[in-house]
Amino acid sequence: MFGRTSVYHTHRVRETVLFLFPAMSGLDGRPLLFVLTGLVAGILTGHAHTPVPVSGGLFLALTACGMLAAPGRRLSALLIPLCALAGSWLIAPWADLPEPVTEAPSAPRVLSGRIEHIRLQDRDLKCTLRDVRFKNGHGLAPPCTGIRLIIKKGCTLAVAEGMHLTTRCRLRPFTSFNNPGRFDYRRHMMQKGVAAWAVVKADDVTLSPAHPVHRWKSALHHARGRIEKALFAHAPTPRSGALLCALLTGNRAHVSPSLRDLFTHTGTAHLLAISGLHLGIVATVFYVLFTGMFSHWERPLIKGHTQMLAAAATLVPVLLYALLSGMAPSTQRALTAACLVMGALALHEEADLPTTLALAAIAILVSHPPALFAVSFQLSFAAVGAILASLAQLRTPRNPMTQRTFRQRVLLFIIPPCFASFGTAPLVWYHFGYASPIGLLANLILVPMTSFGVILPGLAGVLILPLCAPLAGLLFALAGYILEGTIQGASLFAAVPGGYLLLPRPGLATTLLVMILLFSLLLSTPHKRKGPLLIAIFCLLLLGQRATTAYMHRHHNPTLRVTVLDVGQGSAAVLAFPKGKRWLVDGGFAWPGRYDVGRFAVGPYLQAAQITTLDAVVLTHPESDHMGGLIHILKNFTVKTLFLGPRPGRGALWNRFDEAATRCGTRIVHLTDRSPPMDVEGVHITCLHPEALPKGFTGDGSVNNNSLVLRLAYGDHRFLLTGDIMEKAEDRLLADAGDALKANVMVVPHHGSRSSSTRAFLARVTPSIGVISAGQTNRYGLPHTEVMERYLRAGCALYRTDLHGAVTIESNGVSLSVSTFLAPPPPFPSSLTWTQP
């Protein structure tokens, strides 16, 4: 009786689980696709705060489409609205994330938490504190219960993940560069559950052993440290050691930015993240190994349980490897898919790949709904979806007794990676603004080379290391030498002209149209071309209409736009001339080897504004907060002319800037007050300062006082760009420039410092609008209060990039309008108009 009941329940469980792995094809046999569709729609509408009537109409439309697409199981389409409501409920805690730190900066607090995600940078230690509690017993409100902690000189601490840390620090809110096309860093961190950040000294930190529940994390951290030490000891070069750490332990902190850029430019950056490639190799090797072992065990062999035991046993090393690598989001997705595939094999069924992919996505989104907005999530599932489309194209009816031809085997090897590159290309274009055509060829060579020549011996070395360290060292050395060859191959691919293209970033609508176009063609079959062809024509017509509108807006727009960007404590402004020419004045700061505003603020804005070619770049003066970001611009954008002052700069940063200007081959022009005026598409540009050599300022403040001062005249309006001139330069302009200084709009000199903007200078310029470029809560206290009061008393409306984000002043020659990226600006004279983008 017990046996019959057990068999009955076993069959019932099997039938229930096989619902997830149907043998049927099409939507009728894949109800989880409806579940995923509804869940994604609910998360999107809940995150965007879509009104109930609009979201309800969208859910009903999706349900109707589902009924039409699956006429055999129309009731399954009712899963869409139910799952959409569930998705809206799941994303609700993440949709409105309040600022956890209201003071700027907040008062010092004593807090404690559990250490995770340790990373060393130079002598500093960066980590994440989870489950943060304050001294009074209160903690951060969920879902954001962690903080990012930077410990100065933390390399001296004997710290491990899972340990308990107590310190006294001042919490600070995350900030973003508030420009169009920005990356919202605050929301990104909060979607990861991190509410704020803080900096402490190593001496102010108290460490405690990990709680028994989390001691396994400390053990894994120490094991990972021993493996990384062995990798660096046996790798032929430090760069191959750093890459081995990224490939085998998931720690990419040692990989230099130049090496990351190398793989990015060749379209193989996915190799640096432990994902489906790595876990697929581990799962395949151990599945074959366990199948061979259990095939010699008579009892399970007779009962037909060999495959089930092998699949179940394979999950153990796969899970251990995922834990050892740090369980990054890409690893979690790959682990979920591996578990589903092994589960299907344990049930003696072939997993339905589209349903397996849908179930993996559902599991991730239910556990963490904001994952939908993560770039890695979108790229992973787009790549796998494109590969599934390629497999559908390659699947042809054939006799199971016949072997595949050589041509079929070659196509099976080449086509899926190419489809994956095509499938992810629109998302890479949308998020990062580049395309890598050479990646199609580079992936065909570098991926197998890395998989079989680096990852396999490397993982074998990791397994052997506790048993035989010398043999593991040989395997690590072998993997390192092959990896050096991979780096050389990537360098050759990166040197191919046109292999890497920096592109204007498209909008969301354009990206969706391109994705629909590509996947409609990928999913088409040779005998059904009419539907995809009509969809392709419709998408192409819409794309053509959008391209025509964008071209007309740029080249037939009769306005001059001056946009002062938010670049922190620095300065950068973009000049958009009436018929399409674009200039960049200064580029913000850059910290060598750390943070580059040109890369993370100015460049993204230019690409979002559809600018990849600059007709001119102006460096007002060679100081780091104006010059540093221009190095990235010169290296990655097409710059036709570079305008400089008469005096060169000094130091390592100037040398890097000069080298970048020389390599890009741009025309260099030195401007002084004697330079002839320029007429750019109806805008009259005059250089008012500095004086030509050998005149000029020397001594303290000479670099600032020799800043270029440009006046733009368009119709009835004048714009004055002043750089960082100080009182001495202002006195010289008052004496020599006269009424040429009068302007309606002025970029306030020297970020609003009291060393500039004298009363006499302000009285001569008489601006109606002043724009101050300054960083939020900067250490210099800029802009100074007395300077702002001076402008306000003169009747000038002030705008600040630290408060209002990017400030755009637009003129058609008769009227002015001002728009800001953030809060509405202060009132200004009624003769002007204000709009918000």
Coordinates of all heavy atoms in Angstrom, one line a residue, residues 94 96-101 130 143-145 173-174 184-196 368 370:
W94 N 10.1 49.4 -4.2 CA 11.2 50.0 -4.8 C 10.9 51.2 -5.7 O 11.7 51.9 -6.2 CB 11.9 49.0 -5.7 CG 12.2 47.7 -5.0 CD1 11.4 46.6 -4.8 CD2 13.4 47.4 -4.4 NE1 12.0 45.6 -4.1 CE2 13.3 46.1 -3.8 CE3 14.7 48.0 -4.2 CZ2 14.3 45.4 -3.2 CZ3 15.7 47.4 -3.6 CH2 15.5 46.1 -3.0
D96 N 9.1 54.1 -5.0 CA 9.3 55.4 -4.4 C 10.4 55.2 -3.2 O 10.0 54.8 -2.1 CB 8.0 55.9 -3.8 CG 7.1 56.4 -4.9 OD1 7.6 57.2 -5.8 OD2 5.9 56.0 -4.9
L97 N 11.6 55.5 -3.6 CA 12.7 55.3 -2.6 C 13.0 56.7 -2.0 O 13.6 57.5 -2.6 CB 13.9 54.7 -3.2 CG 13.7 53.3 -3.7 CD1 15.0 52.8 -4.5 CD2 13.5 52.3 -2.6
P98 N 12.7 56.9 -0.7 CA 13.0 58.2 -0.1 C 14.5 58.4 0.1 O 15.2 57.4 0.2 CB 12.2 58.2 1.2 CG 12.1 56.7 1.5 CD 12.0 56.0 0.2
E99 N 14.9 59.6 0.2 CA 16.3 59.9 0.5 C 16.6 59.5 2.0 O 16.0 60.0 2.9 CB 16.6 61.3 0.3 CG 18.1 61.7 0.5 CD 18.9 61.0 -0.6 OE1 18.8 61.4 -1.8 OE2 19.7 60.1 -0.3
P100 N 17.5 58.5 2.2 CA 17.7 58.0 3.6 C 18.5 59.0 4.4 O 18.5 58.9 5.7 CB 18.4 56.7 3.4 CG 19.1 56.9 2.1 CD 18.3 57.7 1.3
V101 N 19.2 59.9 3.8 CA 20.0 60.9 4.5 C 19.5 62.2 4.2 O 19.7 62.7 3.0 CB 21.5 60.7 4.1 CG1 22.3 61.7 4.9 CG2 22.0 59.3 4.4
R130 N 25.8 45.3 5.4 CA 24.4 44.9 5.3 C 23.8 44.9 6.7 O 24.5 44.7 7.7 CB 24.3 43.5 4.7 CG 24.7 43.5 3.2 CD 23.8 44.2 2.3 NE 24.1 44.2 0.9 CZ 23.5 44.8 0.0 NH1 22.5 45.6 0.2 NH2 23.9 44.7 -1.3
P143 N 13.5 48.7 1.6 CA 14.5 47.6 1.2 C 15.9 48.0 1.2 O 16.8 47.2 0.9 CB 14.0 47.3 -0.2 CG 13.5 48.6 -0.7 CD 12.9 49.3 0.5
C144 N 16.2 49.2 1.5 CA 17.6 49.7 1.5 C 18.2 49.7 2.9 O 18.1 50.6 3.7 CB 17.7 51.1 1.0 SG 17.0 51.3 -0.7
T145 N 18.9 48.5 3.2 CA 19.4 48.3 4.6 C 20.9 48.3 4.6 O 21.5 47.8 5.6 CB 18.8 47.0 5.2 OG1 19.2 45.9 4.4 CG2 17.3 47.1 5.3
P173 N 24.5 61.0 1.2 CA 23.7 60.5 0.1 C 24.4 60.3 -1.2 O 25.4 61.0 -1.4 CB 22.6 61.6 0.0 CG 23.3 62.8 0.4 CD 24.3 62.5 1.5
F174 N 24.0 59.3 -2.0 CA 24.6 59.2 -3.3 C 24.1 60.3 -4.2 O 22.9 60.8 -4.1 CB 24.1 57.8 -3.9 CG 24.8 56.6 -3.2 CD1 24.0 55.8 -2.4 CD2 26.1 56.3 -3.5 CE1 24.6 54.7 -1.8 CE2 26.7 55.2 -2.9 CZ 26.0 54.4 -2.0
D184 N 21.5 57.3 -13.4 CA 21.0 57.7 -12.1 C 21.7 56.7 -11.1 O 21.2 55.7 -10.8 CB 19.5 57.5 -12.0 CG 18.9 58.2 -10.8 OD1 19.7 58.4 -9.8 OD2 17.7 58.5 -10.7
Y185 N 22.8 57.2 -10.6 CA 23.6 56.4 -9.7 C 22.9 56.1 -8.3 O 23.0 55.0 -7.8 CB 25.0 57.0 -9.4 CG 26.0 56.2 -8.6 CD1 26.4 55.0 -9.1 CD2 26.4 56.6 -7.4 CE1 27.3 54.2 -8.4 CE2 27.3 55.8 -6.6 CZ 27.7 54.6 -7.1 OH 28.6 53.9 -6.4
R186 N 22.2 57.1 -7.9 CA 21.5 57.0 -6.6 C 20.5 55.8 -6.7 O 20.4 55.0 -5.8 CB 20.8 58.3 -6.2 CG 19.9 58.2 -5.0 CD 19.1 59.4 -4.7 NE 18.1 59.2 -3.7 CZ 16.9 58.8 -4.0 NH1 16.5 58.6 -5.2 NH2 16.0 58.7 -3.0
R187 N 19.6 55.9 -7.7 CA 18.6 54.8 -7.9 C 19.3 53.5 -8.1 O 18.8 52.5 -7.6 CB 17.7 55.2 -9.0 CG 16.6 54.1 -9.3 CD 15.5 54.7 -10.1 NE 14.7 55.6 -9.3 CZ 13.7 55.3 -8.5 NH1 13.4 54.0 -8.3 NH2 13.0 56.2 -7.8
H188 N 20.4 53.5 -8.9 CA 21.1 52.2 -9.1 C 21.5 51.6 -7.8 O 21.3 50.4 -7.6 CB 22.3 52.5 -10.0 CG 23.2 51.3 -10.1 ND1 22.9 50.2 -10.8 CD2 24.5 51.2 -9.6 CE1 23.9 49.3 -10.7 NE2 24.9 49.9 -10.0
M189 N 22.1 52.4 -6.9 CA 22.6 51.8 -5.6 C 21.4 51.4 -4.7 O 21.5 50.4 -4.0 CB 23.5 52.8 -4.9 CG 24.8 53.1 -5.6 SD 25.8 51.6 -6.0 CE 26.1 51.1 -4.3
M190 N 20.3 52.2 -4.7 CA 19.2 51.9 -3.9 C 18.5 50.6 -4.4 O 17.9 49.9 -3.6 CB 18.2 53.0 -3.8 CG 18.8 54.2 -3.0 SD 17.5 55.4 -2.5 CE 18.4 56.3 -1.2
Q191 N 18.5 50.4 -5.7 CA 17.9 49.1 -6.2 C 18.8 47.9 -5.8 O 18.3 46.8 -5.8 CB 17.7 49.2 -7.7 CG 16.6 50.1 -8.1 CD 16.5 50.3 -9.6 OE1 17.3 49.9 -10.4 NE2 15.4 50.9 -10.1
K192 N 20.0 48.2 -5.4 CA 20.9 47.1 -4.9 C 20.8 47.0 -3.4 O 21.5 46.3 -2.8 CB 22.3 47.4 -5.3 CG 22.6 47.3 -6.8 CD 24.0 47.8 -7.2 CE 25.0 46.8 -6.6 NZ 26.4 47.2 -7.2
G193 N 19.9 47.9 -2.8 CA 19.7 47.8 -1.4 C 20.7 48.6 -0.6 O 20.8 48.4 0.7
V194 N 21.4 49.5 -1.2 CA 22.4 50.3 -0.5 C 21.9 51.8 -0.5 O 21.6 52.4 -1.5 CB 23.8 50.3 -1.3 CG1 24.8 51.1 -0.6 CG2 24.3 48.8 -1.4
A195 N 21.8 52.3 0.8 CA 21.1 53.6 1.0 C 22.0 54.8 1.0 O 21.6 55.9 0.6 CB 20.4 53.5 2.3
A196 N 23.3 54.6 1.4 CA 24.2 55.8 1.5 C 25.6 55.3 1.5 O 25.9 54.1 1.4 CB 23.9 56.6 2.8
H368 N 13.8 39.6 -6.8 CA 14.4 41.0 -6.8 C 13.8 41.7 -8.0 O 14.5 41.7 -9.1 CB 15.9 40.9 -6.9 CG 16.6 42.2 -6.6 ND1 16.5 42.9 -5.5 CD2 17.3 43.0 -7.5 CE1 17.1 44.1 -5.6 NE2 17.6 44.1 -6.8
P370 N 13.7 44.8 -9.1 CA 14.5 45.8 -9.8 C 15.5 45.2 -10.7 O 16.1 46.0 -11.5 CB 15.2 46.6 -8.7 CG 14.3 46.4 -7.5 CD 13.8 45.0 -7.6

